[in-house]
Amino acid sequence: MKRLSLQWRITLMTALLIGVTCVAMNYLLGCSGRHYMDSIGTSIQFSGDAAGGEPAFFDPALEEDDQELTIIIHGAQASFITTNWYITAAVMVLGGVLALGCARRFGTALSLTQGLFGMSWAALIALAVCGILLSVALIDAETQLIPDRLNLALAVCGVVGTLLSPAGWLPHLIGAFCVSVPMLLLCLAIDGAFGGGDIKLMAAAGLFLGWQNTLLAMFLGILGGGLYGIWLLAAKRADKKDHFAFGPFLCAGIVIAMLFGEPILQWYCAFL
């Protein structure tokens, strides 16, 4: 049986370390959340009458037992704990898979000059990009807004990735504009065609991907978003005037293009 190379063993240990860190952070956050819920009764105030002076503090020890309130609090705690562990498990598995994918796509390292934790510097930057995109997808799915600071962080990774890229800066510079500028023009022509955060996201991602993978990422994002929109219409969960978050599909397209863009483009070009 062939043994794993030292680089892959170090990478697997790094993925395991990420998992242990996620579990530890989840435990700390869970304890903090439960403590907050247990102490919330001491900070609840009666609304009272504005003319009656300052509202009195709510002291559970001086009030009669309220079974309904108890059920709500305990239900919230159980829901919080369960959801917290589900999210941790998903992030841990996804983070490990993405770490292995980035190491395979961008290379491993044995020395500090080549990289860290068994991953090359390019692979570490790619993993950081995946983490940022995961945050973007979750926030946009919940709020339909993409924070500028996340797009800025992605742009910083793009600049660093450009410096490490053997292709030079020109393909990356073209990538920053080849999709974002048409999106902006379309948004100016059709109100609400794209959100400003989506445009900034593709500009920052294009700086990291280069123009070829940026076009592929946009195609995959439109394909995924279009299929989701068709499903919403077919299931009558939305009508033609409703909007849904497009960022998660763009993020998925960016990750796929980053990790598998080269073989996908080679497969496509074989049909031309």
Side-chain angles (χ1 to χ4, degrees):
M1 181 178 178
K2 186 178 179 181
R3 296 182 60 185
L4 291 173
S5 64
L6 179 59
Q7 293 99 321
W8 277 109
R9 278 182 282 171
I10 296 175
T11 303
L12 289 172
M13 291 176 61
T14 302
L16 179 61
L17 179 62
I18 293 174
V20 173
T21 303
C22 287
V23 171
M25 291 179 62
N26 174 78
Y27 177 75
L28 293 175
L29 289 174
C31 291
S32 176
R34 289 194 299 270
H35 174 74
Y36 175 77
M37 290 181 187
D38 288 336
S39 61
I40 195 171
T42 60
S43 59
I44 296 178
Q45 292 180 329
F46 288 120
S47 58
D49 186 0
E54 293 293 329
F57 281 95
F58 172 72
D59 188 355
L62 301 179
E63 300 294 328
E64 296 182 359
D65 292 338
D66 189 339
Q67 187 65 25
E68 183 178 0
L69 178 62
T70 303
I71 292 174
I72 292 174
I73 290 177
H74 284 298
Q77 286 184 337
S79 176
F80 172 79
I81 295 170
T82 303
T83 304
N84 205 20
W85 280 112
Y86 281 150
I87 293 175
T88 299
V91 171
M92 182 175 63
V93 173
L94 184 61
V97 171
L98 290 175
L100 294 175
C102 291
R104 182 173 182 178
R105 169 64 178 83
F106 295 95
T108 56
L110 282 175
S111 64
L112 187 61
T113 57
Q114 297 175 331
L116 196 63
F117 304 125
M119 303 175 66
S120 67
W121 293 115
L124 289 171
I125 295 298
L127 184 59
V129 168
C130 291
I132 295 170
L133 292 175
L134 178 60
S135 300
V136 169
L138 293 176
I139 293 174
D140 191 34
E142 184 70 23
T143 66
Q144 294 193 17
L145 293 173
I146 300 178
D148 288 338
R149 60 182 180 273
L150 291 179
N151 283 329
L152 179 60
L154 188 60
V156 171
C157 291
V159 172
V160 177
T162 300
L163 296 176
L164 297 175
S165 175
W169 58 270
L170 185 57
H172 295 272
L173 186 62
I174 296 175
F177 296 101
C178 67
V179 168
S180 60
V181 170
M183 289 176 69
L184 177 61
L185 295 177
L186 185 61
C187 190
L188 293 176
I190 304 175
D191 186 31
F194 294 102
D198 296 331
I199 299 173
K200 298 173 187 175
L201 174 66
M202 291 308 300
L207 188 61
F208 179 81
L209 293 175
W211 68 272
Q212 291 178 319
N213 284 334
T214 303
L215 293 175
L216 176 61
M218 187 63 184
F219 169 77
L220 294 174
I222 292 176
L223 179 63
L227 292 176
Y228 179 69
I230 292 173
W231 176 78
L232 288 178
L233 293 175
K236 296 183 179 180
R237 297 195 174 188
D239 56 38
K240 296 180 180 180
K241 296 182 179 180
D242 290 332
H243 296 273
F244 61 88
F246 191 47
F249 301 99
L250 292 177
C251 291
I254 292 168
V255 172
I256 294 173
M258 179 177 65
L259 298 180
F260 307 104
E262 186 175 348
I264 291 176
L265 291 174
Q266 289 177 353
W267 171 81
Y268 173 75
C269 291
F271 292 94
L272 299 179

